Each structure stands twice: as C-alpha cells, then as structure tokens.
C-alpha cells in the first residue's frame, strides 16, 4: 500500500463501488464526527450535480456495494448524502500487525530518494548563544530528522556566522587591551563583543577601524587570520557544548568563511551574465519580478568599500553546496524576519544559474515571555542559553520534591523536552509564549507529560515481562478502539509533517496519542486481567504505541530519561 495505507485502501474500494459513476478524484477523509464513524466520503454531492439525482440516492447506491467489502463493520448513507464508514476490527488489526512487523511501522519509502542540504542553527562566532538561537537549533534538528526518516539523503550544515563585523570588533578589542592570541579566553570574547559593539555605535572612528579589520580578514590577511582562527576555535567549542546539551548535531560545521573562496567566482558569473551592475559605488543585482506586490530592493553583492555582505556569502555557499553535493533541495531554517534576504539570495542565485536545487526558507517566529514581549530572564536580561537551561531546570526541580534526586543526565533530557515540546507544538512560523512554569508541569501539553506517559507504558510492559505476541481479531471496547484508530494515523502524520516542513504536526499527534493512551490504561486495567488473550492483545497495542512514541519523540529531538 502507498502513501496513507488506510485512506488509500478506502479510496480504492470506493472507486470500485462508484460503478458507472465517474469522479475526477475520490477523497476519503477522517470523520468530522468521530462519534458517528471513522472515515467519510462526501463525493455524492458532486455526483448528484453531474448526474442530476439526489445525493442521498447516489450515496445509498454506493453504500449497497461498499457493504460487500470486508473493510467495514458498518457503512451508511447519512442525510443529506454523506457516506459514513466504520472500519472492521479485522481490517484495523491487519494494518496494525503490518506496522508492528515492518521497519518504520511500514512507512512507505519516498521514491526517488533526493539529496537535501539543511542549513540551520546559524550561530554567530564570537557572540554567546542566547534565547534567539534556540528555535533555529530545535526546529532545524527536527526537520532534519523528519526529512531523513522518510528516506532522503540529508546533509546538515550549521553555517556559522563568521564573516561579519563582530569578528573585526573582537580583534580590535583584543588589540586595544593587548590580549595575545595565545592568552585570549572565551570570557574575553564574551566581554569584548558587547563592549566594542556598543563603542562602535557611539564612535564612528572605532566602527571604521573594526570594519577595516573585517575587510582585511575577508581579503585574506594572514595576521588577522590567526586571530580569527583562535576566536573561531574558542567560540565553536562553546557552541558545540551547548548543542550537545540540546542533542543537536551537524554533518558539516562550515561557516560563511568557508565559502569565501567562491565569492569571486560568483561575482564573475554575475558580471559575465550582466546580472550585476554598479550603483552608487556598490555592486548590485536586480531581483524584482513583475508580479511582486511589495518593494523588492536589489541584492547588494559588494559594498562601495569592497566588502562583501551576508547575501554574497549565502550565494557563494550555494555555489559550494552545488559543487559538493548537487542537492535537490536546500532548506534554510532561519528567522522569518530574514525572508526578504532569502528571497533576494534565491532569486539572484536562480538567475545566475549557480544551482538547480529548490531553495526554501523555512521561517520561524519569536519566543516571547508571558508579557507577550521577547523573552527575558527573571532579572530582565535577554537570557544566554546556559541561563535559560538553568532557569528551566530549577522550575522543574521545584515542581516536585523527588525531582531533585534525578541524575544530571536525566534532568538535562527533561529540560530539553520542556523547551522542545513547548516550541515544536506551535506552527514554526508563529511567535509563541514560553511560560516556564506551565511547560515544566507534568500535566498539560508539555514535554514532561509526554515523557511520563511513555515511561509509564514502558513500565507496564516491563512488569508484565512482555516479549511479544500475535494480535487477535478482537477490539474490546471504545477506549481500546480509540487508541487503535489513533495509531493508524502514524503515516499520515509523518508524511504531512515532511511535506509541510512542520514538526508541529508530529507534536500534535504525539499529544493526542498520549491522551488516548492515558484514557486507555486508566479504563482498562491490564495487570489483574485473567483473560490471557485479551491481556496479550492489549500488551501488543501498548508495545506498538510505545515504540511508535519513541520514534516520534526522536523526530522532535526529544530524548527519553531513565525515570521520572
Ligand atoms: N547567522 C545568521 C543569523 O544569526 C543566521 C544564518 C542563517 N543561514 C543562512 N544561510 N543565512 O541571523
């Protein structure tokens, strides 16, 4: 079976049941009223118009044929012309058995397998990571895992920001304070960057000096290269540490500087194809299109002082990626506020013909505090990520007496789950409010709730020493049925999260699945059951749900602690 096993199977029987009626597309959807049926088909309304009959009459004709299929326990025409389908237990259980047996729960493999470069994280060298760097890391990591899970070849690249003014500022600061390359520390960098950046805003002369250092570095000054290398190493080490804490990892740890050598090549292409021209001393590329409704300024490739910019390094990086990987797609997980930048870069790159890849900017919104303003710590600062981790850990530990006895590693995983589930349950394009207290609670739509549910099921299976069994044909009650029906949505969920590049589709499914699981075991006591067959069937379902949950959590980048 293909794409979505259940829906596809239902659409196929429906196509046959249409008999002499023809419809362009046969669409079966999940029921609007799950209390009445599982799936529905609304095509009778369209057919009624085509064939000038009443929808109800047509629905009844189709239903008469559908009744012959073994897929349904019940199938009915409902006024004024809906077709309501309730799946047969045997059909549901057959699909669940296939899911249990096959790898990735029988998820159909994407054909053909394509090459994706995913650019996320994007931290800037010499600046400490703050709360604004959380989303590109969390959202990007999840999108990478999803794209890879459906069967594509994925290359992830952190794309350090290491080509900008901040490097010149820190070098300037080191020189001013006579700090040698050997002696400079991370603390120096963290102190110098804000200090000199503030000074640059107040003093034009300092700003010019810093800009010149940056420019000389870009042009290949060996002296500044040594500074740069040391600053890069110190800063990278710290960034890697923080990403490790979040379980975020990359295939490539490249930066803008790695694309530096390709800038002249891109520039040459732009000039040869007469796409770039001089305007007020700068070299620019027009990227507007007739259909643009908003203003679309040209991309500035080179400033009048000869310095290259964010757009130039991004184009050079596209050139490099094309050369190294010939990707089918390049995805950029970056702040929505950069959408103009990406539009310019994509258009200029397509015009220049430096890549055949589909280029997509996957934007994300801002993390706000409960006051609706960009998130601040208790003391009113924009928190560094280290401080945010500490703050969340404290909230979690305070929420329950025994939490403080957990191992450091478990606590790290729980902090990760709190931050990630709070983030990924939202459509990435939207801003969201991070309420640490709410999201560290074990009740609600939170990481701890999901982990708690998972660990509880795991515990049941361990206590029962469940080693596996065959699934029978029964479904015993509504809670049981609700859970099984929920499990059928796995494929649909993964594929739509992949297509839309939206981890939130998975997060929502995880939550719904956990709610079904909790209702299931609160109402069906497994431990005391004497009916062995029933017990084995239920354990089968729980084991399937548990393994699925584990995989889904992996796709969100959420790690599972040993206990809670
Ligand atoms: N370093 C950039 C920033 O902090 C984000 C980089 C996004 N990726 C890219 N290829 N432009 O805003």
């Amino acid at each position: 079976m293909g794409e979505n096993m259940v829906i596809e199977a239902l659409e196929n029987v429906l196509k046959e049941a249409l008999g002499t009626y023809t419809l362009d597309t046969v669409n079966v959807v999940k029921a609007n009223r799950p209390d009445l049926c599982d799936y529905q088909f609304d095509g009778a309304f369209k057919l009624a118009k085509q064939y000038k009959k009443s929808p109800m009459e047509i629905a009844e004709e189709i239903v008469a044929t559908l009744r012959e299929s073994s897929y349904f326990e019940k199938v009915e025409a409902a006024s004024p012309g809906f077709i309501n389908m309730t799946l047969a237990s045997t059909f549901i259980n057959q699909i669940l058995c296939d899911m249990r047996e096959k790898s990735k729960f029988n998820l159909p493999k994407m054909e053909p397998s394509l090459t994706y470069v995913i650019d996320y994280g994007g931290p800037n060298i010499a600046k400490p990571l703050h709360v604004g760097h959380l989303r590109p890391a969390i959202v990007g990591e999840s999108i990478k895992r999803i794209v890879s899970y459906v069967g594509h070849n994925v290359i992830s690249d952190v794309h350090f920001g290491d080509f900008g003014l901040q490097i010149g500022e820190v070098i300037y600061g080191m020189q001013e304070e006579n700090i040698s390359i050997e002696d400079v520390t991370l603390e120096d960098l963290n102190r110098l960057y804000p200090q000199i950046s503030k000074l640059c805003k107040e003093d034009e002369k300092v700003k010019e000096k810093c800009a010149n250092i940056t420019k000389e570095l870009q042009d290949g000054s060996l002296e500044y290269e040594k500074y740069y290398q040391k600053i890069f190493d110190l800063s990278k080490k710290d960034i890697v540490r923080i990403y490790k804490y979040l379980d975020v990892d990359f295939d490539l740890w490249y930066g803008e500087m790695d694309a530096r050598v390709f800038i002249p090549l891109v520039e040459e292409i732009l000039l040869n194809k007469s796409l770039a021209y001089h305007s007020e001393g700068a070299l620019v590329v027009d990227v507007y299109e007739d259909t643009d409704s908003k203003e679309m300024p040209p991309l500035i490739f080179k400033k009048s002082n000869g310095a290259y910019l964010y757009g130039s390094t991004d184009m050079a990086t596209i050139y490099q990626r094309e050369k190294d990987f010939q990707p089918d797609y390049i995805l950029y997980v970056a702040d929505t506020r950069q959408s103009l930048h990406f539009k310019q870069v994509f258009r200029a790159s397509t015009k220049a013909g430096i890549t055949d890849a589909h280029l997509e900017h996957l934007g994300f919104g801002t993390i706000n505090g409960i006051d609706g303003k960009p998130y601040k710590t208790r003391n009113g600062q924009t928190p560094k990520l280290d401080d945010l981790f500490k703050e969340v850990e404290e909230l979690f530990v305070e929420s329950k007496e025994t939490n403080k006895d957990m191992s450091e590693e478990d606590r790290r995983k729980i902090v990760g789950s709190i931050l990630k589930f709070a983030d990924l349950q939202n459509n990435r394009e939207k801003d969201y409010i991070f309420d640490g207290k709410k999201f560290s609670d074990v009740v609600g739509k939170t990481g701890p709730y999901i982990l708690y549910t998972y660990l509880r099921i795991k515990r049941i299976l361990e206590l029962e020493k469940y080693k596996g069994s065959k699934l029978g044909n029964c479904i015993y009650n509504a809670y049981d049925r609700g859970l099984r029906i929920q499990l059928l949505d796995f494929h649909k969920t993964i594929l739509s999260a992949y297509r839309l590049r939206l981890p939130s589709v998975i997060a929502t499914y995880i939550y719904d699945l956990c709610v079904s699981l909790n209702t299931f075991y609160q109402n069906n006591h497994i431990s005391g059951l004497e009916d062995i067959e029933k017990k084995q069937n239920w354990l089968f379902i729980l084991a399937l749900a548990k393994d699925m949950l584990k995989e889904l959590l992996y796709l969100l980048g959420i790690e599972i602690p040993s206990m809670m």
Side-chain angles (χ1 to χ4, degrees):
M1 279 189 239
E3 178 84 347
N4 181 333
M5 310 211 271
V6 183
I7 292 200
E8 203 177 276
L10 297 181
E11 286 174 351
N12 286 338
V13 280
L14 257 155
K15 275 179 204 154
E16 281 185 23
L18 288 183
T20 53
Y21 294 120
T22 51
L23 258 184
D24 301 342
T25 48
V26 171
N27 270 333
V28 170
V29 293
K30 278 209 92 175
N32 289 333
R33 294 269 313 266
D35 51 323
L36 294 182
C37 62
D38 302 322
Y39 290 86
Q40 67 185 63
F41 174 69
D42 305 341
F45 297 101
K46 204 164 167 207
L47 288 170
K49 283 204 195 98
Q50 270 170 250
Y51 293 89
K52 312 218 175 342
K53 281 190 178 178
S54 88
M56 196 58 186
E57 199 181 324
I58 294 179
E60 269 165 358
E61 281 177 52
I62 298 172
V63 162
T65 320
L66 285 180
R67 291 216 166 101
E68 290 160 21
S69 161
S70 61
Y71 289 176
F72 307 110
E73 179 181 303
K74 201 168 80 184
V75 49
E76 287 175 325
S79 179
F82 300 106
I83 295 180
N84 291 348
M85 294 167 270
T86 302
L87 303 183
S89 304
T90 44
F91 180 59
I92 296 174
N93 289 336
Q94 184 51 51
I95 292 179
L96 295 176
C97 282
D98 288 344
M99 290 172 92
R100 186 95 186 102
E101 271 165 33
K102 310 254 168 66
S103 80
K104 293 187 184 170
F105 309 97
N106 207 11
L107 184 76
K109 200 170 155 36
M110 273 301 153
E111 304 279 7
S113 174
L114 304 172
T115 299
Y116 277 74
V117 171
I118 309 189
D119 175 319
Y120 66 98
N124 298 318
I125 291 297
K127 299 186 192 176
L129 292 192
H130 58 77
V131 65
H133 292 103
L134 197 60
R135 297 204 83 183
I138 291 181
V139 174
E141 179 70 24
S142 175
I143 290 176
K144 172 185 77 179
R145 293 180 185 204
I146 295 166
V147 175
S148 164
Y149 193 75
V150 303
H152 294 305
N153 167 33
V154 174
I155 299 140
S156 55
D157 181 6
V158 69
H159 198 71
F160 285 118
D162 58 355
F163 196 73
L165 187 63
Q166 82 269 20
I167 311 281
E169 290 174 343
V170 172
I171 296 178
Y172 171 85
M174 282 172 66
Q175 291 182 330
E176 282 299 293
E177 295 192 8
N178 280 321
I179 305 173
S180 71
I181 298 178
E182 291 73 48
D183 295 337
V184 69
T185 63
L186 187 67
E187 288 65 42
D188 291 327
L189 299 186
N190 289 346
R191 179 177 53 80
L192 285 174
Y193 167 69
Q195 184 181 315
I196 307 296
S197 142
K198 183 160 170 272
L199 200 60
C200 281
K201 288 192 188 96
E202 295 158 0
D203 188 336
E204 262 313 308
K205 278 215 179 66
V206 177
K207 189 173 169 190
E208 205 181 309
K209 279 187 190 151
C210 295
N212 284 337
I213 298 176
T214 311
K215 165 95 177 56
E216 280 181 48
L217 173 68
Q218 292 180 357
D219 290 344
S221 148
L222 291 178
E223 168 70 3
Y224 290 139
E225 182 81 28
K226 284 187 208 135
Y227 279 89
Y228 161 82
Q229 203 52 55
K230 181 65 187 272
I231 296 168
F232 182 87
D233 291 345
L234 281 177
S235 205
K236 176 181 169 185
K237 195 165 159 221
D238 196 49
I239 291 169
V240 170
R241 174 185 66 79
I242 288 187
Y243 281 159
K244 231 189 169 117
Y245 184 94
L246 287 170
D247 198 25
V248 167
D249 198 7
F250 298 88
D251 301 310
L252 306 176
W253 295 85
Y254 288 173
E256 295 168 329
M257 278 286 261
D258 291 297
R260 181 177 50 170
V261 293
F262 302 106
I263 294 179
L265 302 181
V266 174
E267 184 170 345
E268 203 180 301
I269 295 173
L270 290 172
L271 289 168
N272 283 345
K273 297 198 173 177
S274 305
L275 293 169
Y277 64 94
H278 290 277
S279 165
E280 293 169 34
L283 190 66
V284 305
V285 183
D286 279 335
V287 288
Y288 66 85
E289 287 169 7
D290 292 341
T291 48
D292 286 340
S293 54
K294 278 196 212 120
E295 205 196 338
M296 176 58 66
L299 176 136
I300 305 176
F301 195 81
K302 185 156 70 170
K303 286 209 295 191
S304 50
N305 73 351
Y308 294 100
L309 297 159
Y310 192 31
S312 350
T313 54
D314 260 332
M315 284 186 75
T317 306
I318 289 177
Y319 184 96
Q320 181 184 21
R321 288 172 179 162
E322 180 67 35
K323 178 177 82 55
D324 291 348
F325 309 112
Q326 301 86 47
D328 298 290
Y329 282 85
I330 307 179
L331 310 183
Y332 295 82
V333 180
D335 199 311
T336 299
R337 288 170 293 190
Q338 295 193 17
S339 74
L340 178 66
H341 162 78
F342 284 108
K343 261 205 190 102
Q344 293 175 316
V345 167
F346 295 172
R347 287 185 181 181
S349 302
T350 309
K351 276 175 114 175
I354 57 174
T355 185
D356 300 324
H358 297 272
L359 306 169
E360 283 178 37
H361 170 211
L362 309 178
F364 55 78
T366 311
I367 306 181
N368 290 325
I370 30 183
D371 57 1
K373 301 205 187 90
Y375 192 85
K376 297 271 169 13
T377 45
R378 286 168 184 168
N379 60 22
Q381 306 276 332
T382 294
K384 303 214 174 68
L385 278 184
D386 277 325
D387 297 335
L388 180 69
F389 298 159
K390 225 178 277 151
E391 185 171 311
V392 172
E393 183 173 336
E394 274 165 22
L395 281 169
F396 177 71
V397 169
E398 281 163 19
S399 73
K400 200 171 133 209
E401 182 59 29
T402 48
N403 285 351
K404 66 175 185 320
D405 304 328
M406 282 185 180
S407 73
E408 207 176 302
E409 181 64 357
D410 277 353
R411 272 190 268 165
R412 179 189 66 78
K413 290 178 177 171
I414 290 166
V415 170
S417 82
I418 293 169
L419 293 169
K420 291 171 188 178
F421 204 74
D423 189 314
L424 297 175
Q425 63 183 264
N426 304 286
N427 180 315
R428 63 174 157 74
E429 310 237 22
K430 303 228 164 76
D431 298 348
Y432 75 92
I433 289 179
F434 182 73
D435 177 345
K437 215 171 155 62
K438 179 172 134 195
F439 287 116
S440 52
D441 199 338
V442 75
V443 179
K445 215 169 169 180
T446 69
Y449 169 73
I450 307 295
L451 291 177
Y452 181 74
T453 307
Y454 174 86
L455 290 170
R456 190 155 168 188
I457 298 173
K458 184 163 171 268
R459 184 99 189 103
I460 296 175
L461 291 161
E462 278 163 8
L463 287 174
E464 296 296 336
K465 302 194 170 57
Y466 181 67
K467 291 275 177 335
S469 56
K470 282 217 154 22
L471 185 63
N473 273 330
C474 278
I475 294 179
Y476 296 93
N477 55 40
Y479 307 112
D480 178 4
R481 194 168 190 285
L483 176 58
R484 294 188 203 213
I485 287 280
Q486 186 79 251
L487 294 172
L488 299 183
D489 281 345
F490 177 81
H491 310 95
K492 187 179 85 174
T493 304
I494 303 278
L495 293 171
S496 94
Y498 157 71
R499 293 233 161 73
L500 301 167
R501 324 287 196 214
L502 282 180
S504 51
V505 174
I506 292 180
T508 305
Y509 180 63
I510 289 180
Y511 179 72
D512 292 343
L513 188 57
C514 285
V515 171
S516 296
L517 275 166
N518 281 307
T519 344
F520 174 85
Y521 67 62
Q522 274 157 20
N523 292 286
N524 295 323
H525 297 284
I526 292 188
S527 61
L529 264 184
E530 277 170 23
D531 182 338
I532 298 297
E533 193 183 322
K534 190 177 190 179
K535 190 174 197 170
Q536 290 298 312
N537 282 339
W538 278 353
L539 290 173
F540 178 106
I541 297 298
L542 286 186
L544 176 62
K546 181 198 112 223
D547 291 348
M548 204 181 264
L549 205 47
K550 186 171 177 184
E551 213 110 308
L552 290 162
L553 286 169
Y554 168 80
L555 293 177
L556 297 191
I558 294 179
E559 296 174 277
I560 296 164
S562 63
M563 54 165 273
M564 269 186 82

Short mmCIF file of all heavy atoms in Angstrom, two decimals, residues 119-124 127 133 136 158-162 256 310 313-314 317 321 332-335 338 341-342, ligand 1:
data_model
loop_
_atom_site.label_atom_id
_atom_site.label_comp_id
_atom_site.label_asym_id
_atom_site.label_seq_id
_atom_site.Cartn_x
_atom_site.Cartn_y
_atom_site.Cartn_z
N ASP A 119 20.26 23.77 6.28
CA ASP A 119 21.08 24.81 6.89
C ASP A 119 20.29 25.32 8.08
O ASP A 119 19.21 25.88 7.94
CB ASP A 119 21.27 25.90 5.80
CG ASP A 119 21.98 27.15 6.24
OD1 ASP A 119 21.73 27.63 7.35
OD2 ASP A 119 22.77 27.69 5.43
N TYR A 120 20.79 25.05 9.28
CA TYR A 120 20.07 25.52 10.47
C TYR A 120 21.07 25.77 11.59
O TYR A 120 22.25 25.47 11.46
CB TYR A 120 18.99 24.53 10.90
CG TYR A 120 19.46 23.17 11.39
CD1 TYR A 120 19.58 22.91 12.75
CD2 TYR A 120 19.75 22.16 10.50
CE1 TYR A 120 19.99 21.67 13.21
CE2 TYR A 120 20.17 20.91 10.95
CZ TYR A 120 20.30 20.67 12.30
OH TYR A 120 20.71 19.45 12.74
N GLY A 121 20.56 26.32 12.68
CA GLY A 121 21.48 26.67 13.77
C GLY A 121 21.97 28.09 13.55
O GLY A 121 21.54 29.02 14.22
N GLY A 122 22.88 28.24 12.61
CA GLY A 122 23.37 29.56 12.21
C GLY A 122 23.87 30.44 13.33
O GLY A 122 23.64 31.66 13.32
N PRO A 123 24.60 29.88 14.32
CA PRO A 123 25.09 30.75 15.40
C PRO A 123 26.22 31.63 14.89
O PRO A 123 26.87 31.29 13.90
CB PRO A 123 25.62 29.75 16.43
CG PRO A 123 26.06 28.58 15.63
CD PRO A 123 25.10 28.49 14.46
N ASN A 124 26.42 32.74 15.57
CA ASN A 124 27.48 33.65 15.14
C ASN A 124 28.70 33.51 16.04
O ASN A 124 28.59 33.55 17.26
CB ASN A 124 26.96 35.09 15.15
CG ASN A 124 25.81 35.26 14.17
OD1 ASN A 124 25.88 34.73 13.06
ND2 ASN A 124 24.77 35.94 14.58
N LYS A 127 29.87 35.62 19.46
CA LYS A 127 28.73 36.12 20.26
C LYS A 127 28.17 34.95 21.05
O LYS A 127 27.94 33.89 20.47
CB LYS A 127 27.62 36.63 19.35
CG LYS A 127 27.98 37.78 18.43
CD LYS A 127 26.71 38.22 17.72
CE LYS A 127 27.00 39.15 16.57
NZ LYS A 127 25.77 39.51 15.83
N HIS A 133 18.69 31.85 19.71
CA HIS A 133 19.31 30.76 18.94
C HIS A 133 18.68 29.40 19.22
O HIS A 133 19.13 28.39 18.70
CB HIS A 133 20.81 30.69 19.25
CG HIS A 133 21.55 31.88 18.73
ND1 HIS A 133 21.96 32.92 19.53
CD2 HIS A 133 21.91 32.21 17.47
CE1 HIS A 133 22.54 33.83 18.79
NE2 HIS A 133 22.54 33.44 17.54
N PRO A 136 16.20 28.12 15.87
CA PRO A 136 16.85 27.56 14.67
C PRO A 136 17.47 26.20 14.95
O PRO A 136 17.52 25.35 14.07
CB PRO A 136 17.92 28.59 14.31
CG PRO A 136 18.06 29.48 15.49
CD PRO A 136 16.76 29.45 16.21
N VAL A 158 25.78 23.65 9.88
CA VAL A 158 25.50 24.65 10.92
C VAL A 158 25.63 26.09 10.39
O VAL A 158 25.03 27.01 10.92
CB VAL A 158 26.41 24.43 12.15
CG1 VAL A 158 27.86 24.78 11.80
CG2 VAL A 158 25.96 25.22 13.35
N HIS A 159 26.40 26.25 9.35
CA HIS A 159 26.59 27.57 8.73
C HIS A 159 26.83 28.69 9.75
O HIS A 159 26.03 29.62 9.91
CB HIS A 159 25.41 27.91 7.81
CG HIS A 159 25.75 29.01 6.84
ND1 HIS A 159 26.60 28.82 5.78
CD2 HIS A 159 25.38 30.30 6.78
CE1 HIS A 159 26.72 29.95 5.12
NE2 HIS A 159 26.01 30.87 5.71
N PHE A 160 27.99 28.61 10.38
CA PHE A 160 28.39 29.66 11.34
C PHE A 160 28.40 31.03 10.68
O PHE A 160 28.83 31.18 9.54
CB PHE A 160 29.84 29.41 11.80
CG PHE A 160 30.00 28.30 12.78
CD1 PHE A 160 30.76 27.19 12.46
CD2 PHE A 160 29.40 28.37 14.03
CE1 PHE A 160 30.94 26.16 13.37
CE2 PHE A 160 29.57 27.35 14.95
CZ PHE A 160 30.33 26.24 14.62
N GLY A 161 27.96 32.02 11.44
CA GLY A 161 28.14 33.40 11.01
C GLY A 161 29.52 33.85 11.47
O GLY A 161 29.72 34.16 12.64
N ASP A 162 30.49 33.83 10.55
CA ASP A 162 31.85 34.15 10.97
C ASP A 162 32.53 35.09 9.99
O ASP A 162 33.74 35.12 9.86
CB ASP A 162 32.68 32.86 11.13
CG ASP A 162 32.74 32.04 9.84
OD1 ASP A 162 32.07 32.43 8.87
OD2 ASP A 162 33.45 31.03 9.82
N GLU A 256 30.48 30.81 7.08
CA GLU A 256 30.50 31.72 5.94
C GLU A 256 31.91 31.82 5.35
O GLU A 256 32.08 31.90 4.14
CB GLU A 256 30.02 33.10 6.38
CG GLU A 256 28.58 33.12 6.83
CD GLU A 256 28.19 34.42 7.53
OE1 GLU A 256 29.04 35.05 8.19
OE2 GLU A 256 27.02 34.80 7.43
N TYR A 310 26.27 39.63 3.73
CA TYR A 310 25.50 38.42 4.04
C TYR A 310 24.98 37.73 2.76
O TYR A 310 25.06 36.51 2.61
CB TYR A 310 24.34 38.86 4.93
CG TYR A 310 23.56 37.79 5.62
CD1 TYR A 310 24.15 36.58 6.01
CD2 TYR A 310 22.20 37.99 5.91
CE1 TYR A 310 23.39 35.61 6.67
CE2 TYR A 310 21.45 37.03 6.58
CZ TYR A 310 22.05 35.84 6.95
OH TYR A 310 21.30 34.89 7.60
N THR A 313 27.92 35.95 0.84
CA THR A 313 28.37 34.66 1.39
C THR A 313 27.29 33.60 1.19
O THR A 313 27.60 32.44 0.94
CB THR A 313 28.71 34.75 2.89
OG1 THR A 313 27.60 35.30 3.58
CG2 THR A 313 29.94 35.58 3.13
N ASP A 314 26.03 34.00 1.27
CA ASP A 314 24.99 32.99 1.06
C ASP A 314 24.99 32.49 -0.39
O ASP A 314 24.80 31.30 -0.63
CB ASP A 314 23.60 33.53 1.47
CG ASP A 314 23.20 33.02 2.86
OD1 ASP A 314 23.65 31.93 3.25
OD2 ASP A 314 22.44 33.72 3.55
N THR A 317 27.93 30.22 -0.77
CA THR A 317 27.67 28.94 -0.11
C THR A 317 26.79 28.05 -0.98
O THR A 317 26.97 26.83 -1.04
CB THR A 317 27.01 29.17 1.27
OG1 THR A 317 27.83 30.07 2.01
CG2 THR A 317 26.87 27.88 2.04
N ARG A 321 27.77 24.38 -2.23
CA ARG A 321 26.91 23.21 -1.99
C ARG A 321 26.57 22.52 -3.30
O ARG A 321 26.50 21.29 -3.37
CB ARG A 321 25.63 23.64 -1.26
CG ARG A 321 25.92 24.00 0.18
CD ARG A 321 24.72 24.62 0.90
NE ARG A 321 25.09 24.91 2.28
CZ ARG A 321 24.43 25.73 3.08
NH1 ARG A 321 23.34 26.35 2.64
NH2 ARG A 321 24.83 25.93 4.32
N TYR A 332 16.56 26.28 4.46
CA TYR A 332 17.16 27.21 5.42
C TYR A 332 16.19 27.42 6.56
O TYR A 332 15.09 27.94 6.35
CB TYR A 332 17.40 28.57 4.78
CG TYR A 332 18.42 28.56 3.65
CD1 TYR A 332 18.04 28.17 2.37
CD2 TYR A 332 19.74 28.92 3.88
CE1 TYR A 332 18.96 28.15 1.34
CE2 TYR A 332 20.67 28.91 2.85
CZ TYR A 332 20.28 28.52 1.58
OH TYR A 332 21.19 28.50 0.56
N VAL A 333 16.58 27.00 7.75
CA VAL A 333 15.73 27.25 8.91
C VAL A 333 16.27 28.51 9.56
O VAL A 333 17.33 28.50 10.19
CB VAL A 333 15.77 26.06 9.89
CG1 VAL A 333 14.88 26.32 11.10
CG2 VAL A 333 15.36 24.78 9.17
N ALA A 334 15.59 29.61 9.34
CA ALA A 334 16.09 30.90 9.83
C ALA A 334 14.90 31.82 10.12
O ALA A 334 13.80 31.64 9.56
CB ALA A 334 17.01 31.54 8.79
N ASP A 335 15.15 32.78 10.98
CA ASP A 335 14.12 33.73 11.43
C ASP A 335 13.28 34.26 10.26
O ASP A 335 13.80 34.66 9.22
CB ASP A 335 14.83 34.90 12.12
CG ASP A 335 13.89 35.68 13.02
OD1 ASP A 335 12.79 36.04 12.56
OD2 ASP A 335 14.26 35.92 14.18
N GLN A 338 14.02 37.32 8.26
CA GLN A 338 15.04 37.34 7.20
C GLN A 338 14.46 36.96 5.83
O GLN A 338 15.20 36.66 4.89
CB GLN A 338 16.18 36.39 7.55
CG GLN A 338 16.94 36.83 8.78
CD GLN A 338 18.25 36.08 8.97
OE1 GLN A 338 18.78 35.45 8.06
NE2 GLN A 338 18.80 36.15 10.18
N HIS A 341 15.78 38.83 2.74
CA HIS A 341 17.15 38.42 2.43
C HIS A 341 17.14 37.12 1.60
O HIS A 341 17.81 37.01 0.57
CB HIS A 341 17.96 38.23 3.71
CG HIS A 341 19.21 37.42 3.54
ND1 HIS A 341 20.36 37.93 2.99
CD2 HIS A 341 19.46 36.11 3.81
CE1 HIS A 341 21.28 36.97 2.94
NE2 HIS A 341 20.77 35.86 3.44
N PHE A 342 16.39 36.14 2.07
CA PHE A 342 16.39 34.86 1.36
C PHE A 342 15.76 34.97 -0.02
O PHE A 342 16.23 34.36 -0.97
CB PHE A 342 15.75 33.75 2.21
CG PHE A 342 16.66 33.29 3.31
CD1 PHE A 342 16.42 33.61 4.64
CD2 PHE A 342 17.80 32.55 3.01
CE1 PHE A 342 17.29 33.20 5.64
CE2 PHE A 342 18.68 32.13 4.01
CZ PHE A 342 18.42 32.46 5.33
N1 LIG B 1 23.86 33.70 11.31
C1 LIG B 1 22.56 34.14 10.89
C2 LIG B 1 21.92 34.97 12.00
O1 LIG B 1 22.32 34.90 13.14
C3 LIG B 1 21.64 33.01 10.52
C4 LIG B 1 22.13 32.16 9.37
C5 LIG B 1 21.03 31.52 8.59
N2 LIG B 1 21.53 30.77 7.46
C6 LIG B 1 21.96 31.29 6.30
N3 LIG B 1 22.48 30.55 5.39
N4 LIG B 1 21.84 32.60 6.06
O2 LIG B 1 20.99 35.69 11.72
#
